[in-house]
Each structure stands twice: as C-alpha cells, then as structure tokens.
Amino acid sequence: MGGREQNYVNEAFETNWIAPLGPNVNAFEKSIREELGESVHVAALSSGTAAIHLGLELLGVGKGDEVICQSFTFSASANPISYLGAEPIFVDSETETWNISPVLLRKAIETRIKDGKKPKAIIAVHLYGMPYKITEIRAVADEFQIPVLEDSAEALGSSFQNIPCGTFGDIGILSFNGNKIITTSGGGALVSKNRSYTERAIFLATQARDDAPHYQHSNIGYNYRMSNVLAGIGRGQMEVLKDRVNSRRANHQYYRESLNQIEEIEFLKEPDGYFSNRWLSCILTPSYEIRERLRLALLDENVESRPLWKPLHLQPVFKASQHFVDGTSESLFERGLCLPSGSNLTSEELERVVTTIKNVLS
C-alpha cells in the first residue's frame, strides 16, 4: 500500500457508502482515464476476468463462435470464451516480445475462413508487461475486420511509442488483482474509446436492470461492478503507480546488471518504441534441466520462483481446442523462470536471489 488508500477507505466508511457505486468508484475511474488519456472511457469492475467476459459479449461473441486467443498467457485470458459457449483458437507467440505472432495470427484467420468459420474476435495479451506487436496485430485485424480485445491485465504503466497500453484494442481490460502492479485486492476495468461499450458494460455489470420504477430485466445481467470500498484502495494505488513501475523496472535492471556475464541466462529486451512496466522479471535458460536446477535451488533458500506460463494449448482443459503453433511458447515455458519481482523487494533480498543463481551456474 502507498499510504493514502486508508484515507479513501475511511471516507467510504464515514459516509456509509459501502456498496457498489459511489464517489470512490467515480474518482477511481477518473484516475484511470487520466492515466490512459482523456479519449478513453472506463468501467470499474470486480475483476479483469469479468472485464474480458463483458468485452467479448460487447463484441458479439456467443455460442458456437470462435475467438482467437494468445496461447502463452494465464487461463483467465481464455476462460470467458468458454463462459459464452464459444470456442478458443490458440495462436503461438513470436520471440521478440513473447506475445501473439502476427504471422501465425494471419495463418489462423485464413485457415478458419477457408473452413467457413471467421473468428469473431482476437484476444491479444501484453505478457509480463511487454506490449505485443501492436502495429502488426492491428494491421491483420483491420485487414480481416476482426475486433481486438486487448488484455492489458499485466501492463498498466506500459506503453508503445509513448501511448499507454490498454488503449490500442477495440476494448481494453485491466486487472487489479492482488499480484498486479497496483491492486484493489480484487478488481478490474473495461476500457474503450467507444463510450457505448463502457456504458453497456456498466449496464450489464449491474444486473442489466431496465429503466423502470420496479425491477425489470430484458437482458441477462451480471454482478460485476466494483465496490466503493475497493475503489478507495484503487484511488490510493493510482497515486503511486509510477513509483511501482519504477520499482519493478529497477528490479529488472538489477538482475540484468548482476547476471549479464552468465552465458546461460537471457533476458527479454525492449524493442525500440516499447516501454514495459516489467511487472515480472523473467529469464530464459538453455534447457528445462537448468531451469529446474535454478528453481529448486532458490526454493531451498526459501525464495519462490515460478516457470513461465504453461501455454493454453497444452492445458488439459483446452486439449481439444484448435491451435496454430510453432513451438515458441513451449520452448519459453520449458526454459523460462519468473524471478521475485515485488515492488517492495530490498537490495538484500535481490542479492540473495542473484547469489543463489550464481552459485548454481558458477
């Protein structure tokens, strides 16, 4: 916590404004809009997953439709596709950003159109805070007239050519889960330059209640709105977002400078024009065996590390889903490791991590 969160939470208690909606929700949405640019509109929701669910529904995804989704990501990126009765089509990553490959995206779209099934939407993810190839993905999406849902759950504070992530898709989503760069403990947001999308999202997120003096519903709704208390936490967190980004980037820089002489370790670089919040600092090793040696050695020192995301096309729950892959994400999963990356890590803790890695690979 940054320190100011308690003031906003106390304000919610003192005014007895606890339930969803309220001054903190409005102010939190305003602070997100100020961060992303005044051209966007924001709906604060209960989670990033809820935002993806509503985003897909707003884009017209329904039962029997197909949605292209980046395979190298957390399952929450794809689960809402199944909520709507649609089918995910997984696409592999490229090596420059570890995000969805424009080449394989085109192949997937052309193949599905040839088979008589044009995908309804594309879910592209800014993995670990690194922006995906925005120009190339947008070009493919526009060519085939398929909307993009931009999963920016891990990328608040990241940018491409000085434009904030979360603003490039037809709809963008943010997450404020406990592990994100700022948190409301649980929460998310749907973002769009199209006001009708956010207005519709708010309507659906508040149980789709019709404008009537009694409770009347013409649409299926959801209980997805953020509470006034959690939004108070979010207001305080937004005030320290830049500090959190600086801390994460400092962690990454420390790891790079401390480990750059070790041949077995590789870091993901920022391409020109890309700015990553470095939500997590990740390394690549030459093999699964070396990755596991490092992970277990760190665990012996009571330091948690974790493999990179297991691709969704390898997950048991999605084993029957179609996928267009070339082995990139499988290799990243086998060789990659997420190092401790918290914003409050001390220099002594960072040194413990580095020393353990050096001892293993020396």
Side-chain angles (χ1 to χ4, degrees), residues 281-297:
S281 289
C282 307
I283 59 173
L284 287 181
T285 66
S287 66
Y288 168 84
E289 290 73 20
I290 293 177
R291 185 204 79 185
E292 280 300 277
R293 280 175 56 200
L294 289 179
R295 187 182 69 82
L296 294 173

Side-chain angles (χ1 to χ4, degrees), residues 11-12 33 55 68 70 72 80 99 124 134 170 181 205 207 209 238 254 266 277 284 314 342 351 362:
E11 184 180 303
R33 189 166 62 250
I68 289 179
Q70 184 167 315
F72 195 42
N99 293 310
I134 290 157
D170 296 82
I181 198 156
Q207 300 290 17
R209 181 183 172 185
M238 286 298 294
Y254 181 88
E266 177 185 346
N277 64 14
L284 287 181
L314 298 180
E351 181 58 31
S362 62

Side-chain angles (χ1 to χ4, degrees), residues 244-304:
R244 297 294 177 265
V245 172
N246 290 338
S247 295
R248 300 291 175 124
R249 287 180 63 84
N251 290 343
H252 185 84
Q253 186 64 23
Y254 181 88
Y255 284 135
R256 284 185 70 102
E257 292 177 352
S258 301
L259 300 171
N260 64 359
Q261 299 300 318
I262 300 178
E263 292 182 358
E264 295 95 333
I265 290 180
E266 177 185 346
F267 289 88
L268 179 65
K269 298 177 182 178
E270 284 174 321
D272 291 341
Y274 288 67
F275 179 87
S276 171
N277 64 14
R278 297 296 188 183
W279 173 59
L280 293 187
S281 289
C282 307
I283 59 173
L284 287 181
T285 66
S287 66
Y288 168 84
E289 290 73 20
I290 293 177
R291 185 204 79 185
E292 280 300 277
R293 280 175 56 200
L294 289 179
R295 187 182 69 82
L296 294 173
L298 288 166
L299 192 60
D300 285 343
E301 296 296 324
N302 199 30
V303 175
E304 184 183 25

Side-chain angles (χ1 to χ4, degrees), residues 25-47:
V25 175
N26 297 335
F28 183 40
E29 290 175 341
K30 183 175 183 290
S31 67
I32 296 170
R33 189 166 62 250
E34 290 172 348
E35 174 68 24
L36 299 184
E38 293 297 332
S39 64
V40 304
H41 308 281
V42 180
L45 302 171
S46 58
S47 69

Side-chain angles (χ1 to χ4, degrees), residues 15-81:
T15 59
N16 202 32
W17 210 320
I18 306 300
L21 306 181
N24 279 336
V25 175
N26 297 335
F28 183 40
E29 290 175 341
K30 183 175 183 290
S31 67
I32 296 170
R33 189 166 62 250
E34 290 172 348
E35 174 68 24
L36 299 184
E38 293 297 332
S39 64
V40 304
H41 308 281
V42 180
L45 302 171
S46 58
S47 69
T49 309
I52 295 175
H53 184 188
L54 290 181
L56 291 174
E57 185 162 330
L58 292 170
L59 295 176
V61 175
K63 187 174 182 179
D65 288 331
E66 293 183 354
V67 175
I68 289 179
C69 182
Q70 184 167 315
S71 182
F72 195 42
T73 183
F74 181 50
S75 63
S77 298
N79 285 340
I81 301 171

Side-chain angles (χ1 to χ4, degrees), residues 141-309:
D142 288 347
E143 178 182 344
F144 292 97
Q145 296 184 312
I146 301 174
V148 175
L149 193 154
E150 177 189 0
D151 185 341
S152 196
E154 302 172 7
L156 183 60
S158 299
S159 62
F160 172 68
Q161 296 181 346
N162 296 316
I163 300 173
C165 289
T167 65
F168 295 103
D170 296 82
I171 291 173
I173 73 98
L174 303 172
S175 172
F176 309 111
N177 191 31
N179 65 347
K180 297 303 186 292
I181 198 156
I182 64 167
T183 184
T184 56
S185 81
L190 185 144
V191 177
S192 181
K193 294 178 181 177
N194 185 336
R195 182 190 291 271
S196 66
Y197 280 151
T198 53
E199 290 178 346
R200 181 68 175 173
I202 290 171
F203 169 72
L204 293 173
T206 49
Q207 300 290 17
R209 181 183 172 185
D210 292 342
D211 185 15
H214 53 277
Y215 288 100
Q216 179 165 303
H217 306 270
S218 304
N219 298 267
I220 296 296
Y222 310 96
N223 185 17
Y224 279 174
R225 206 67 162 106
M226 181 178 284
S227 85
N228 197 51
V229 175
L230 297 191
I233 299 175
R235 290 180 68 184
Q237 287 278 282
M238 286 298 294
E239 293 175 3
V240 296
L241 173 60
K242 287 181 173 55
D243 294 336
R244 297 294 177 265
V245 172
N246 290 338
S247 295
R248 300 291 175 124
R249 287 180 63 84
N251 290 343
H252 185 84
Q253 186 64 23
Y254 181 88
Y255 284 135
R256 284 185 70 102
E257 292 177 352
S258 301
L259 300 171
N260 64 359
Q261 299 300 318
I262 300 178
E263 292 182 358
E264 295 95 333
I265 290 180
E266 177 185 346
F267 289 88
L268 179 65
K269 298 177 182 178
E270 284 174 321
D272 291 341
Y274 288 67
F275 179 87
S276 171
N277 64 14
R278 297 296 188 183
W279 173 59
L280 293 187
S281 289
C282 307
I283 59 173
L284 287 181
T285 66
S287 66
Y288 168 84
E289 290 73 20
I290 293 177
R291 185 204 79 185
E292 280 300 277
R293 280 175 56 200
L294 289 179
R295 187 182 69 82
L296 294 173
L298 288 166
L299 192 60
D300 285 343
E301 296 296 324
N302 199 30
V303 175
E304 184 183 25
S305 62
R306 200 171 282 183
L308 301 187
W309 298 122

